[in-house]
Amino acid sequence: MVYFSRFIMLLVLLTTLSPFCSSNQIQDNFYQCLSSSTTHLPNIFYTPNNPSFTSILISTALNLRCIAPYAAKPEAIFTPLNENHIQNAVICAKKLGIHLRYRSGGHDYEGLSYTSAMDPPYVIIDLSKLRGVSVDLADGSVWVEAGATVGELYYRVAEKSKTHGVPAGLCTSLGVGGHITGGAYGSMMRKYGLGADNALDVKLVDANGRILDRKAMGEDVFWALRGGGGASFGVIVSWKLKLVPVPETVTVFNVGRTLEQGATKILYKWQQVTDKLDDDLFIRVIFQTSNIPNTNQRTITTTYNALFLGKYDRLQEIMKQSFPELGLKKEDCIEMSWLESVLFIAGYPRSVPTTVLLAGKPAFVNYFKAKSDFVKDPIPEKGLEEIFQRLLKEDSPYMIWTPYGGMMSRISESSIPFPHRNGTLFMIQYITSWMGPDRDLMNKHGDWIRKLYNYMAQYVSMFPREAYVNYRDLDLGMNDKNGDDTSFVRASSWGTRYFKDNFNRLVKIKTEFDPDNFFKHEQSIPVLPLKSELPHSEL
């Protein structure tokens, strides 16, 4: 992928962001309402006239496409210091009719936590100053605030214990608040399931400004929050997550195979075994273009990026029995601590210390478009060859195949809203990236990834064609741009893809918990105005 340093992009964006109007009524009214109940407001409320506004706006924006000059910008950014500040923001916004966006880590693939494809002006509630982590080994749990990253979470847990971990994301700059709401898969998913499967409690600010925990909100709402997507039910303040055992020593490897080295046949075999491997073994496949040495020709490199919860000797036996085609050698493998493996899986060089996990924001960002799929049956070799040819026609394509099976197959589809369980071999993430904010570039690369997605329809899940809500994709549809009440029929176009049959239950819970539809965005869960319109299965 093509990456930009955050410092360089700050300089570029400071000169390219569209000019903002001076103080307006939304800013003034919101500020006045907040000031009546919020102290230190001048230091946590930013309008476009504030010199720090742009740097805060882009501080955790992963997708530069969503902060390009033509992208919508907020009227203000509010950075609460505590849960009471969040309460006040929600109460004031509801009173004044102001649309809010909520950002914990800025990883929404369509930027919906900091930009908008809808017409109403909006204010960002940026939770980046709420990043406390409280580890309780005796209880086997950890409370983590919404603005903390998974990297910070992992680091703080490892500070307390070398034999405990948290089964959550692979990208270390993910904000915990939004991450868990979409499911939160990671390298221990085959052993322990998703982050959302291991959520024990939550603190949420609802549309009336109340702070609710699991007991106060009830089991239906708690169910909806664990995989039902962010910002449909309230503002996540913090999560209580289960700690899981990890060995003192784990083993990792990266093994690359190009087309010239038999990548096609090896990948076909991986598809046949990946969901059946030992639960302690996670092997994903990363696809990139590369140059054939000493030539001007390009090829595809498939990299098998793996974590094994154990030492090399046992890994070697498993690989010999289950996947000898990869040709794994001892020199390919590295034994290390679980915390060190977090950096390895995330792609950091071995020389980078684990303290980098405390940085709290992406080290690199880029312009990109992404999509997702779930695969139920192995893609034939002929199909793989066509995929490779399509990748070779794009400038900077990137694809990740993430293995399922193990615990993921043993958890019911309705256990939480995340439904992609038994019968799934692997998930596909498609990405294309480019340099610069030019619209023609965006359209060119967007067209390429959509054509690839259309081609893949024959090989992936059907009825519905499933998608991962944390890889948000507005190509699947969106609510009315004018911000009016959402439509169940319209929302079904993406809701059934993200949640399958769980979508109906989400709609019912949303209708009862947030009947005024205060929490809404381009792909939020809709409310139904009349009980008679509820899905029949939920009446």
Side-chain angles (χ1 to χ4, degrees), residues 69-233:
Y70 44 78
K73 308 299 186 302
E75 300 293 325
I77 303 173
F78 180 52
T79 58
L81 302 176
N82 54 55
E83 58 190 25
N84 298 121
H85 288 172
I86 302 174
Q87 288 179 284
N88 296 335
V90 169
I91 291 169
C92 286
K94 188 172 184 180
K95 175 183 175 182
L96 298 169
I98 294 174
H99 188 71
L100 295 179
R101 297 281 156 143
Y102 315 92
R103 180 167 72 175
S104 54
H107 273 248
D108 187 292
Y109 274 15
E110 298 283 8
L112 300 189
S113 60
Y114 51 92
T115 190
S116 176
M118 301 173 79
D119 295 334
Y122 65 98
V123 171
I124 294 175
I125 308 300
D126 185 306
L127 303 171
S128 59
K129 294 182 179 179
L130 298 173
R131 51 199 328 133
V133 180
S134 179
V135 180
D136 187 341
L137 294 180
D139 184 57
S141 65
V142 54
W143 273 104
V144 53
E145 290 186 319
T149 63
V150 295
E152 292 172 291
L153 169 62
Y154 298 156
Y155 188 92
R156 296 306 180 196
V157 169
E159 269 189 327
K160 299 288 186 179
S161 170
K162 306 302 181 188
T163 56
H164 288 83
V166 178
L170 301 105
C171 181
T172 60
S173 58
L174 287 159
V176 174
H179 180 49
I180 303 298
T181 64
Y185 80 87
S187 58
M188 294 198 291
M189 61 188 281
R190 303 189 68 254
K191 179 73 171 180
Y192 297 114
L194 306 171
D197 293 323
N198 291 275
L200 302 173
D201 205 342
V202 68
K203 286 186 178 180
L204 171 97
V205 175
D206 74 357
N208 296 313
R210 300 175 300 174
I211 298 176
L212 306 176
D213 62 7
R214 177 176 183 173
K215 182 178 180 181
M217 70 181 61
E219 287 303 304
D220 277 349
V221 178
F222 184 62
W223 175 87
L225 296 176
R226 292 174 294 154
S232 281
F233 298 92

Side-chain angles (χ1 to χ4, degrees), residues 333-345:
C333 301
I334 309 171
E335 293 185 341
M336 58 178 59
S337 70
W338 176 75
L339 186 66
E340 290 172 322
S341 79
V342 168
L343 292 182
F344 181 90
I345 294 295

Side-chain angles (χ1 to χ4, degrees), residues 483-538:
D484 289 342
D485 284 343
T486 52
S487 159
F488 172 78
V489 174
R490 177 176 292 198
S492 296
S493 67
W494 64 85
T496 54
R497 292 172 183 250
Y498 291 147
F499 311 115
K500 298 176 70 174
D501 290 343
N502 295 330
F503 177 63
N504 287 348
R505 185 178 174 191
L506 287 168
V507 171
K508 179 182 178 182
I509 295 169
K510 167 74 171 181
T511 302
E512 294 176 350
F513 188 69
D514 181 22
D516 296 329
N517 200 22
F518 176 75
F519 294 103
K520 59 186 175 184
H521 56 77
E522 287 81 349
Q523 288 188 341
S524 57
I525 302 297
V527 296
L528 294 173
L530 298 174
K531 185 175 181 181
S532 61
E533 294 182 40
L534 284 171
H536 291 299
S537 61
E538 294 298 331

Side-chain angles (χ1 to χ4, degrees), residues 352-487:
V352 175
T354 55
T355 50
V356 74
L357 295 172
L358 300 178
K361 60 182 64 176
F364 299 97
V365 292
N366 64 352
Y367 296 85
F368 71 90
K369 172 64 183 175
K371 301 179 82 66
S372 64
D373 262 321
F374 291 84
V375 178
K376 310 286 187 177
D377 298 294
I379 300 171
E381 289 187 28
K382 183 177 180 181
L384 298 178
E385 291 169 354
E386 175 63 23
I387 293 169
F388 294 147
Q389 291 306 309
R390 287 173 178 268
L391 293 176
L392 287 170
K393 293 177 181 178
E394 175 65 347
D395 296 339
S396 298
Y398 196 77
M399 191 164 58
I400 302 175
W401 291 10
T402 299
Y404 273 57
M407 181 60 75
M408 293 297 292
S409 293
R410 295 191 286 273
I411 298 175
S412 165
E413 283 193 4
S414 60
S415 175
I416 63 173
F418 181 99
H420 319 291
R421 302 290 188 171
N422 189 35
T424 298
L425 300 183
F426 57 94
M427 177 179 68
I428 300 178
Q429 178 182 188
Y430 314 91
I431 302 177
T432 181
S433 60
W434 58 91
M435 298 177 64
D438 185 84
R439 279 182 180 272
D440 290 339
L441 275 177
M442 178 181 70
N443 293 334
K444 171 190 171 184
H445 297 291
D447 287 346
W448 175 84
I449 199 170
R450 292 179 184 101
K451 288 177 181 177
L452 174 62
Y453 183 76
N454 290 339
Y455 170 77
M456 292 297 293
Q458 61 192 303
Y459 298 124
V460 299
S461 59
M462 300 179 185
F463 312 116
R465 183 175 182 176
E466 300 170 35
Y468 180 38
V469 68
N470 269 1
Y471 292 154
R472 184 154 335 258
D473 184 2
L474 291 184
D475 290 350
L476 303 181
M478 60 175 278
N479 291 313
D480 288 333
K481 286 178 64 69
N482 60 15
D484 289 342
D485 284 343
T486 52
S487 159

